[in-house]
C-alpha cells in the first residue's frame, strides 16, 4: 500500500503542552560539530506501531544524511532509565538526542538545561526550551481520511474503534474518524472501546471482538499493536490502522494513519547543522502539509471513486481545510465550535467530548 509523499513542507507551531516559553522563535542554535544524532526509543523497534515507525525513519535518515544514528531500545518512561541511556550517547559524541515518549518530557527538560550545547527533540513530549523541542502530528487529519474509507466500506453503517486512553490526542482521532465517515456516509455510527493501555494485545483483541459482536463491519484504531487489524481479518471485516501501514499484518486493512518522522527530522537536523534551529514555545504541532503524518491508502476493497474522494479531501486539507470547523456540537447537543470559527489548538489538546454518533466507553 502506497504511503503518499509530499514534495515540500514547512513548520507549523501549535500547543503541544505546557512547555516553557523561549525568548525568540528564530533564535539561532547550533550543536557543536557535525550533526551526530542518537535515538532513545521507548519500545521495541519491531513493535509494529509507534516505536517501529520511529526506528524506520531512523534508518531512512541514516541513508539520506549519510550518518550512523545509534539507538537504545526499550527505555521506559523513568528518569533512572532515560538519563543513563542519554548521557552515554552524549559521552560518545552525540549532539542531537531524539526521544520517543510523553513520559520523557520532564527528564528531557532537565537534561536540556544540563547540556545546553545538545539539541533534544521529543516526539509526543510536552516540554520545550532553547535547545528542546517536542513534536507531534495533527493525526485527526489522517484519521479523518481513513474514516472516509470506513464510511465508504460499511454496509451496516456500524463502524468500530479501539482506542487506548480518553485523552485529547486520542479523542480527536475518534471524532475525526466518524466525521470522515459521515463525509461519504451520513448514516454512519461509531462505537469506541478504550483499553486503558497503549500497547496491550490481549485487551485490544478483547475490545475488537466485543465490537464485532455488536455488528460493526469496519474497525479503526489508536493503539500501538496491529492486533485490531488481525481480528478484522479473522472476522472478514475491514480495518484501518494507526502509526504505520498495517496492511502488512492483515489484508483487512484498507487505510492507515502513518507517521513519517524522517520528512520532518531531515530538514530539522540540517537546520541544526546550519545554526538555524528554531525553538518553539509550545512545540511543533505538525500537519500532513508539514510532512510529519500522512496516509497509506488504499486497499483493494476501496473503489476508485471512493479513493478519489479521499485524495480530494487530502488535497483540501493540504490546502488549508480545517477538520474541526464550526458549527460543531457534541453528542449532548452542546455547541463546541460556533459558525465561522475553528477549534483552537488548546481546545484540541484538552478535548474531552465526542461528536454526535459516537457511543461507547
Amino acid at each position: 500500500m502506497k504511503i503518499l509523499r509530499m514534495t515540500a513542507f514547512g513548520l507549523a507551531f501549535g500547543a503541544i503542552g505546557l512547555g516553557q516559553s523561549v525568548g525568540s522563535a528564530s533564535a539561532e542554535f547550533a550543536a557543536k560539530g557535525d550533526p551526530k544524532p542518537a535515538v532513545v526509543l521507548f519500545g521495541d523497534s519491531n513493535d509494529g506501531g509507534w516505536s517501529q515507525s520511529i526506528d524506520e525513519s531512523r534508518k531512512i535518515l541514516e541513508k539520506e544524511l549519510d550518518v550512523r544514528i545509534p539507538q537504545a531500545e526499550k527505555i521506559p518512561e523513568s528518569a533512572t532509565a532515560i538519563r543513563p541511556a542519554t548521557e552515554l550517547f552524549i559521552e560518545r559524541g552525540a549532539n542531537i538526542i531524539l526521544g520517543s515518549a510523553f513520559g520523557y518530557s520532564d527528564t528531557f527538560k532537565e537534561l536540556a538545561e544540563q547540556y545546553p550545547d545538545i539539541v533534544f527533540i521529543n516526539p509526543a513530549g510536552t516540554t520545550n526550551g532553547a535547545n528542546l523541542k517536542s513534536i507531534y502530528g495533527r493525526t485527526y487529519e489522517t484519521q479523518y481520511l481513513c474514516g472516509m474509507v470506513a464510511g465508504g466500506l460499511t454496509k451496516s453503517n456500524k463502524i468500530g474503534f479501539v482506542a487506548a486512553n480518553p485523552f485529547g490526542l486520542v479523542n480527536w482521532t475518534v471524532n475525526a474518524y466518524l466525521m470522515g465517515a459521515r463525509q461519504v456516509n451520513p448514516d454512519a455510527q461509531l462505537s469506541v472501546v478504550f483499553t486503558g493501555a497503549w500497547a496491550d494485545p490481549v485487551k485490544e483483541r478483547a475490545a475488537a471482538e466485543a465490537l464485532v459482536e455488536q455488528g460493526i463491519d469496519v474497525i479503526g484504531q489508536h493503539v500501538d499493536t496491529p492486533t485490531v487489524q488481525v481480528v478484522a481479518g479473522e472476522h472478514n471485516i475491514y480495518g484501518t490502522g494507526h502509526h504505520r501501514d498495517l496492511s502488512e499484518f492483515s489484508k483487512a486493512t484498507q487505510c492507515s494513519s502513518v507517521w513519517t518522522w524522517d520528512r520532518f527530522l531531515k530538514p530539522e537536523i540540517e537546520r541544526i547543522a546550519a545554526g538555524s534551529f528554531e525553538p518553539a514555545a509550545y512545540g511543533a504541532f505538525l500537519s500532513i502539509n508539514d510532512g510529519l503524518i500522512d496516509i497509506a491508502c488504499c486497499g483493494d476493497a476501496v473503489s476508485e471513486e471512493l479513493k478519489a474522494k479521499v485524495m480530494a479531501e487530502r488535497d483540501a486539507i493540504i490546502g488549508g481545510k480545517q477538520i474541526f470547523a464550526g458549527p460543531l456540537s457534541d453528542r449532548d447537543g452542546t455547541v463546541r465550535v460556533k459558525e465561522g470559527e475553528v477549534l483552537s489548538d488548546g481546545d484540541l489538546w484538552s478535548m474531552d467530548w465526542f461528536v454526535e454518533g459516537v457511543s461507547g466507553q
Side-chain angles (χ1 to χ4, degrees), residues 9-11 29-30 133 264 266-278:
F9 50 87
L11 285 177
F29 182 94
K133 183 184 292 184
F264 168 78
K266 181 176 184 289
E268 185 76 348
I269 290 171
E270 291 172 341
R271 278 189 287 268
I272 293 169
S276 55
F277 173 78
E278 294 185 348

Side-chain angles (χ1 to χ4, degrees), residues 37-328:
V39 177
V40 182
L41 195 65
F42 167 69
D44 289 302
S45 60
N46 63 346
D47 70 349
W50 170 266
S51 292
Q52 188 168 341
S53 74
I54 294 174
D55 180 61
E56 288 171 341
S57 283
R58 178 188 66 85
K59 293 174 181 176
I60 292 173
L61 288 170
E62 284 189 322
K63 293 180 181 179
E64 293 188 347
L65 295 172
D66 191 25
V67 61
R68 179 178 175 273
I69 303 177
Q71 177 171 268
E73 296 182 35
K74 295 186 287 187
I75 306 301
E77 295 170 299
S78 167
T80 57
I82 301 164
R83 180 174 283 276
T86 302
E87 291 185 324
L88 180 59
F89 282 138
I90 293 173
E91 290 173 6
R92 293 177 176 177
N95 53 19
I96 301 172
I97 303 296
L98 307 176
S100 58
F102 166 84
Y104 287 11
S105 300
D106 292 341
T107 304
F108 264 38
K109 181 68 174 175
E110 295 170 358
L111 287 165
E113 292 171 351
Q114 182 179 348
Y115 297 97
D117 294 329
I118 308 297
V119 176
F120 295 80
I121 299 175
N122 189 24
T126 59
T127 52
N128 299 279
N131 58 325
L132 166 64
K133 183 184 292 184
S134 291
I135 61 175
Y136 201 71
R138 297 180 182 271
T139 50
Y140 54 86
E141 295 178 346
T142 46
Q143 286 283 4
Y144 175 89
L145 296 173
C146 285
M148 290 181 66
V149 171
L153 290 176
T154 181
K155 300 294 190 243
S156 66
N157 295 328
K158 296 179 180 180
I159 59 180
F161 202 92
V162 177
N165 299 290
F167 301 155
L169 64 88
V170 178
N171 294 343
W172 76 45
T173 63
V174 174
N175 284 332
Y177 195 72
L178 180 59
M179 292 167 69
R182 287 189 163 178
Q183 179 72 11
V184 296
N185 182 353
D187 296 323
Q189 302 284 327
L190 184 145
S191 297
V192 59
V193 176
F194 290 97
T195 64
W198 294 110
D200 189 322
V202 174
K203 291 181 178 179
E204 291 165 21
R205 172 170 286 278
E209 295 279 4
L211 289 166
V212 171
E213 289 178 4
Q214 294 177 24
I216 61 108
D217 55 4
V218 186
I219 190 168
Q221 68 176 79
H222 186 162
V223 287
D224 286 1
T225 87
T227 304
V228 173
Q229 303 307 303
V230 173
V231 172
E234 292 171 354
H235 289 274
N236 295 314
I237 65 174
Y238 296 118
T240 65
H242 191 64
H243 292 318
R244 300 175 58 254
D245 181 359
L246 298 188
S247 63
E248 69 175 276
F249 298 100
S250 174
K251 293 181 179 179
T253 307
Q254 300 298 308
C255 180
S256 292
S257 167
V258 301
W259 294 102
T260 51
W261 303 103
D262 52 285
R263 296 189 206 168
F264 168 78
L265 289 172
K266 181 176 184 289
E268 185 76 348
I269 290 171
E270 291 172 341
R271 278 189 287 268
I272 293 169
S276 55
F277 173 78
E278 294 185 348
Y282 301 105
F285 192 19
L286 304 157
S287 66
I288 295 175
N289 191 48
D290 299 314
L292 191 68
I293 55 172
D294 214 326
I295 54 172
C297 192
C298 298
D300 294 341
V302 179
S303 69
E304 289 299 319
E305 179 183 7
L306 178 55
K307 181 177 180 179
K309 290 179 180 179
V310 172
M311 294 302 109
E313 282 295 284
R314 178 180 178 274
D315 288 342
I317 290 170
I318 291 171
K321 175 176 177 171
Q322 298 293 322
I323 304 301
F324 291 103
L328 185 61

Side-chain angles (χ1 to χ4, degrees), residues 299-357:
D300 294 341
V302 179
S303 69
E304 289 299 319
E305 179 183 7
L306 178 55
K307 181 177 180 179
K309 290 179 180 179
V310 172
M311 294 302 109
E313 282 295 284
R314 178 180 178 274
D315 288 342
I317 290 170
I318 291 171
K321 175 176 177 171
Q322 298 293 322
I323 304 301
F324 291 103
L328 185 61
S329 299
D330 62 24
R331 61 186 178 185
D332 297 320
T334 302
V335 176
R336 294 291 182 165
V337 189
K338 296 179 181 179
E339 176 79 39
E341 296 182 356
V342 175
L343 199 66
S344 71
D345 287 350
D347 287 334
L348 280 166
W349 285 102
S350 62
M351 183 178 283
D352 60 358
W353 53 272
F354 297 103
V355 296
E356 189 277 324

